[in-house]
Amino acid sequence: MDKKTFYITTTIPYVNADPHIGFALELVQSDAIARYHRLVGQEVFFSTGTDEHGQKIWEASQKEGEDVQDYVDHFAKQFSNLKGTLNLSNDNFIRTTDASHIKAAEEMWKLCEVKGDIYKKKYKGLYCVGCEKFITEKDVIDGKCPLHPTKELEVVEEENYFFRLTKYKDELIKYLSLPGSVIPEWRQKEALDFVENGMEDFSISRSKERFSWGIPIPGDESQVMYVWFDALVNYISTLGWPENKEKFEKFWENGYTVQNAGKDMVKFQSVMWQGMLMSAGIQNTKQIVYHGFITGEGGVKMSKSIGNVISPEEIVKEYGTDALRYFLLREISSFEDSPFTMERFKEAYNSGLANGIGNLTSRILTLSEKYLEKCPEISEQSDMIEYFKLLEQFDIKQATDYIWGKIGELDQFIQTTEPFKVVKVDEAKGKELITKMVLELYFIARLLNPIMPETSEKIKSLVRENKKPSAPLFLRKE
Ligand SMILES: [Zn+2]
């Protein structure tokens, strides 16, 4: 990384359901990357938040018979509570109903308008409320949206404002061809393919007659902003743009910018949003990283209607925050779909945590407390290049595997050298072996910092105090 400041953001979820495990993955991944960049001495801005406008939310609130503002407040709270549940280090939580965000979305509109990139057009099409967008005929399956087969498509005819995305075709191709602009590579191909073959101007407003829960169009009260045009601006409004020039310059213009998103977001994040930035004359996002989906057993989609949804809150209540972080970051692929089942979770918990790092910590510190007078001299400067390289590539799973490789090696070292026996016959030699183990354990704790921050701190302070844990770090579960 060649920049002093680092910026990372998650997408902002719609607030029409409680937080699910898939979004917890995105949060925890982004948090690990943010913590890594702090660890190497960069100043970091990590943002998340909630997307609170649009027809879907309006209708959901009406269905509940609730005032829409109360409705979004309730869910925004659920999402911001994840900061504690998942031990997130985010610097801001942006809500699209914040007054400052609304001002920013209006400013973005004006900038694109001045550029001549916004025009009015009569439009008739099939509209999916689930997607909050028009569905092209070729994507319709059995008269329904493929993503929302239980929802009826609405035939909608209205005059909307459109964004001249096609004007930026060449510029987008150039941007998307930059190495690393989209990660992983196959998503980069997908983005390029979309721009080259399927990209059209997109509608960025909705008639106020249908619903009014959105930001009014500057200069035209009859329309509200399309929720995507509004929501995408959060990536810069979170920095106080356009008002707070200093912060915006520091982290967006002069920083290294990364957005983390789900694999279904490519068109929105890497194309639409980048086109808007080009129009407004704002620098593009440096890198956008796409993760896969968490599925249920056998790769089935997790959904409320199927009833296989796993709640991050419940897992944390029973197993603790770091156990969930461990599973999400190690057992779930960083880029492709992976299943999350309680069976897999328990197995990974027992083998990687209870019998893994937990047991190792107890064994080593029991010996050191007994045989060493004090904590040996520790270093904060050991070589982590290989590990850092994996995190630079956002391959968090491999980075976590690397740590557990070190844990395995240390386990092996104890088994072959048997310091607990050696120390009884040759104290000096035994102490030397124990010291080596303690230092290696400390190194592992340092590696754990971005992945399991609490466990990392716990082990580090136990090592410094030369004390064995008073209780197992991770209790074995049956
Ligand atoms: Zn849909």
Side-chain angles (χ1 to χ4, degrees):
M1 288 285 133
D2 48 346
K3 304 267 181 140
K4 276 202 204 67
T5 60
F6 181 81
Y7 165 101
I8 187 162
T9 179
T10 65
T11 55
I12 50 171
Y14 271 130
V15 287
N16 62 345
D18 287 328
H20 60 81
I21 203 83
F23 188 59
L25 169 72
E26 190 171 308
L27 285 166
V28 168
Q29 283 183 334
S30 308
D31 184 67
I33 296 297
R35 286 178 188 273
Y36 155 63
H37 284 275
R38 288 193 200 100
L39 191 65
V40 296
Q42 284 178 300
E43 196 176 343
V44 172
F45 189 89
F46 167 27
S47 182
T48 184
T50 39
D51 181 0
E52 304 181 8
H53 288 128
Q55 187 174 3
K56 198 157 49 170
I57 287 164
W58 169 252
E59 285 179 353
S61 71
Q62 297 312 294
K63 220 169 107 187
E64 300 287 321
E66 216 180 317
D67 174 71
V68 65
Q69 187 64 53
D70 292 346
Y71 179 87
V72 296
D73 286 349
H74 163 80
F75 281 110
K77 186 110 200 339
Q78 301 292 306
F79 280 93
S80 63
N81 282 346
L82 290 175
K83 185 173 175 120
T85 311
L86 302 172
N87 192 8
L88 305 175
S89 61
N90 57 299
D91 301 285
N92 194 30
F93 186 90
I94 180 91
R95 298 180 57 182
T96 57
T97 51
D98 288 345
S100 61
H101 170 80
I102 292 171
K103 262 181 117 174
E106 287 166 352
E107 178 66 13
M108 175 59 81
W109 183 283
K110 287 178 199 157
L111 287 173
C112 296
E113 194 174 35
V114 166
K115 204 69 175 288
D117 292 338
I118 293 180
Y119 64 93
K120 236 176 170 178
K121 192 174 95 175
K122 241 216 167 74
Y123 192 86
K124 188 180 175 186
L126 291 168
Y127 191 79
C128 172
V129 177
C131 295
E132 303 255 16
K133 66 173 190 178
F134 287 97
I135 307 286
T136 45
E137 298 277 355
K138 69 170 170 47
D139 291 330
V140 175
I141 295 171
D142 297 330
K144 303 276 171 63
C145 161
L147 295 177
H148 299 96
T150 57
K151 286 199 171 75
E152 291 296 328
L153 287 170
E154 293 174 23
V155 180
V156 168
E157 184 175 8
E158 60 184 43
E159 194 170 46
N160 290 149
Y161 289 97
F162 277 71
F163 177 73
R164 224 180 280 284
L165 185 62
T166 50
K167 180 175 150 187
Y168 296 96
K169 185 172 176 177
D170 292 345
E171 221 177 308
L172 280 167
I173 290 173
K174 215 171 124 195
Y175 163 73
L176 292 170
S177 304
L178 293 170
S181 58
V182 181
I183 292 174
E185 254 172 57
W186 63 91
R187 299 269 169 244
Q188 183 168 23
K189 288 200 188 82
E190 186 186 319
L192 273 166
D193 182 60
F194 174 72
V195 171
E196 280 162 355
N197 303 311
M199 191 175 76
E200 288 170 13
D201 291 350
F202 68 99
S203 143
I204 52 171
S205 73
R206 299 288 180 261
S207 164
K208 221 173 176 175
E209 273 168 29
R210 283 203 288 134
F211 68 98
S212 60
W213 186 240
I215 302 175
I217 301 303
D220 183 353
E221 289 289 311
S222 72
Q223 304 249 330
V224 292
M225 250 176 237
Y226 173 43
V227 65
W228 275 104
F229 190 91
D230 156 2
L232 289 166
V233 178
N234 94 84
Y235 301 128
I236 55 176
S237 71
T238 189
L239 288 165
W241 182 88
E243 233 103 278
N244 193 336
K245 289 195 175 60
E246 201 188 322
K247 202 171 187 183
F248 177 69
E249 268 171 32
K250 184 176 181 180
F251 289 102
W252 192 275
E253 299 284 349
N254 301 320
Y256 194 99
T257 50
V258 173
Q259 293 180 218
N260 189 18
K263 65 172 189 180
D264 57 341
M265 290 286 132
V266 175
K267 282 181 209 173
F268 298 104
Q269 312 292 328
S270 284
V271 182
M272 220 185 252
W273 170 231
Q274 302 309 319
M276 286 164 63
L277 288 169
M278 285 167 184
S279 174
I282 298 170
Q283 196 162 284
N284 287 107
T285 314
K286 182 91 178 159
Q287 294 194 293
I288 305 187
V289 186
Y290 295 95
H291 59 81
F293 287 159
I294 291 184
T295 67
E297 196 152 12
V300 189
K301 197 182 163 176
M302 254 189 205
S303 82
K304 256 205 302 204
S305 49
I306 300 173
N308 59 351
V309 173
I310 287 175
S311 145
E313 302 272 353
E314 275 164 33
I315 301 247
V316 165
K317 224 182 270 166
E318 190 175 347
Y319 296 89
T321 297
D322 274 358
L324 179 58
R325 289 180 66 111
Y326 169 75
F327 188 84
L328 290 174
L329 298 177
R330 187 170 185 218
E331 299 295 329
I332 299 291
S333 157
S334 299
F335 307 113
E336 295 187 78
D337 292 358
S338 313
F340 192 130
T341 63
M342 282 319 292
E343 201 187 342
R344 281 192 73 208
F345 180 85
K346 252 185 224 170
E347 203 181 292
Y349 173 91
N350 281 331
S351 67
L353 301 180
N355 300 340
I357 183 67
N359 185 41
L360 182 75
T361 303
S362 292
R363 283 174 82 187
I364 293 175
L365 292 178
T366 301
L367 284 173
S368 72
E369 187 186 291
K370 191 166 175 191
Y371 294 107
L372 302 185
E373 289 74 40
K374 58 179 175 52
C375 161
E377 199 168 315
I378 45 179
S379 157
E380 298 283 345
Q381 301 299 328
S382 35
D383 175 19
M384 297 195 181
I385 290 170
E386 220 181 314
Y387 175 62
F388 286 171
K389 218 168 111 188
L390 294 166
L391 290 171
E392 289 289 323
Q393 293 159 352
F394 305 98
D395 202 335
I396 308 171
K397 182 202 167 12
Q398 273 214 59
T400 314
D401 282 345
Y402 174 85
I403 305 175
W404 261 261
K406 294 285 171 201
I407 291 171
E409 283 168 22
L410 189 49
D411 253 331
Q412 196 57 46
F413 179 80
I414 302 176
Q415 277 182 44
T416 38
T417 59
E418 300 187 308
F420 43 92
K421 283 186 189 162
V422 175
V423 76
K424 286 173 188 155
V425 289
D426 180 347
E427 205 185 320
K429 174 80 184 144
K431 280 183 174 179
E432 195 188 308
L433 290 173
I434 295 166
T435 300
K436 208 172 161 202
M437 282 159 35
V438 171
L439 293 177
E440 188 61 19
L441 180 65
Y442 193 82
F443 175 64
I444 287 167
R446 290 185 59 223
L447 294 174
L448 279 173
N449 170 296
I451 311 296
M452 297 164 68
E454 203 187 319
T455 305
S456 164
E457 270 317 306
K458 223 185 253 174
I459 298 174
K460 280 166 76 173
S461 69
L462 286 168
V463 168
R464 280 193 223 102
E465 291 161 28
N466 195 31
K467 261 168 90 175
K468 64 169 187 268
S470 49
L473 295 185
F474 299 95
L475 211 54
R476 216 190 130 77
K477 302 265 182 178
E478 291 318 315

